[in-house]
Amino acid sequence: MSKTLAVTEVITSLNEAQSRFNLSRTTDLQFFSEWQETLPELSQGERETLDRVKNSYLYNSADGAMTEATVNLLLVSPLLYLAGFCDPPYKLRGEKSIEISVEERDEIYRGRIDALVLQNQFWLTLVESKQTKFSFSVAIPQALAYMMANPAPDRPTFGLVTNGDSFMFIKLVKEPVALYDLSTDFSIFARPQNELYEVLRVMKRIGVLIQHF
């Protein structure tokens, strides 16, 4: 009988995720070129909106750590709308239950992912947001675990991990071997340019890609 495990309790480090799911981080710099190449330009209106989003977030976060719900309201939702992930052909699902079966270990991992975009059976793991005080070293392994639940193993899965202050993109492929890589981290505190511009550009680029899978 398979053992059932909770993702958040078991997957607490990159080494744990790599070991349990037989994952490796690739050294091939071209593996995840999508976060750097052929990025769409933003309109003046989109840039102005992102400036307002950034200023609003910084204003509200100045009082201290914010809850996940507040981060989603101030930051994640506007990005999803601007990227087009709330419109056809995408479907947005919040608090989605997932299950990953690892036959070699006779284990089943279960958890809930904060936001999930579906496109013709392709899963885009878009946001794994935590409270503002968190570490990427914990959030990224859990995001990778959720991304392993992609039901189409021949297609890549893209993820975005954020706590509001910082953003990092992930790409994972499951076949012929499970590989992943990470983008640089984008900070909302960066100056002089608003790095939300780059976050949205990468999201839009990924949106175009998954429509062709």
Side-chain angles (χ1 to χ4, degrees):
M1 185 175 179
S2 298
K3 182 191 300 184
T4 301
L5 304 166
V7 169
T8 53
E9 294 178 5
V10 177
I11 311 299
T12 57
S13 69
L14 274 175
N15 283 341
E16 196 69 50
Q18 291 175 167
S19 173
R20 289 182 179 272
F21 300 113
N22 197 24
L23 269 170
S24 299
R25 183 175 181 181
T26 181
T27 58
D28 181 2
L29 296 179
Q30 294 304 307
F31 174 85
F32 190 12
S33 62
E34 294 90 346
W35 72 269
Q36 293 177 291
E37 299 178 359
T38 323
L39 300 180
E41 293 299 324
L42 302 183
S43 69
Q44 184 61 30
E46 288 172 327
R47 289 173 178 265
E48 291 174 356
T49 298
L50 289 175
D51 287 341
R52 290 186 61 190
V53 168
K54 175 179 177 177
N55 291 336
S56 177
Y57 178 85
L58 293 177
Y59 170 77
N60 283 279
S61 64
D63 290 330
M66 294 189 294
T67 65
E68 177 183 323
T70 305
V71 172
N72 281 335
L73 181 65
L74 290 174
L75 209 56
V76 174
S77 294
L79 284 169
L80 288 172
Y81 274 106
L82 288 171
F85 289 130
C86 299
D87 304 313
Y90 309 101
K91 289 286 187 180
L92 183 64
R93 296 287 183 266
E95 288 293 317
K96 177 73 175 180
S97 298
I98 60 95
E99 183 173 291
I100 313 119
S101 177
V102 181
E103 295 181 1
E104 295 86 350
R105 301 174 65 99
D106 198 25
E107 294 174 342
I108 296 174
Y109 298 86
R110 288 183 178 148
R112 302 186 71 84
I113 191 163
D114 294 332
L116 186 69
V117 177
L118 309 175
Q119 151 66 3
N120 295 332
Q121 309 255 319
F122 178 86
W123 293 26
L124 171 61
T125 308
L126 189 59
V127 179
E128 171 63 13
S129 58
K130 300 294 181 186
Q131 288 192 354
T132 330
K133 291 184 177 179
F134 90 135
S135 169
F136 275 173
S137 63
V138 174
I140 289 171
Q142 292 180 4
L144 285 168
Y146 291 132
M147 292 165 72
M148 287 295 294
N150 180 4
D154 59 326
R155 301 172 183 175
T157 303
F158 297 93
L160 173 59
V161 176
T162 180
N163 64 340
D165 290 355
S166 300
F167 300 78
M168 186 174 287
F169 289 92
I170 308 170
K171 179 181 179 180
L172 180 145
V173 297
K174 295 172 68 174
E175 292 184 353
V177 294
L179 296 172
Y180 75 94
D181 201 9
L182 309 172
S183 73
T184 190
D185 58 319
F186 301 94
S187 172
I188 200 160
F189 297 105
R191 297 176 69 182
Q193 179 171 291
N194 182 352
E195 291 201 345
L196 289 180
Y197 297 170
E198 294 306 300
V199 172
L200 180 58
R201 293 179 71 200
V202 177
M203 289 171 69
K204 286 191 167 199
R205 170 69 173 143
I206 290 172
V208 171
L209 289 171
I210 65 175
Q211 289 190 54
H212 294 90
F213 291 148

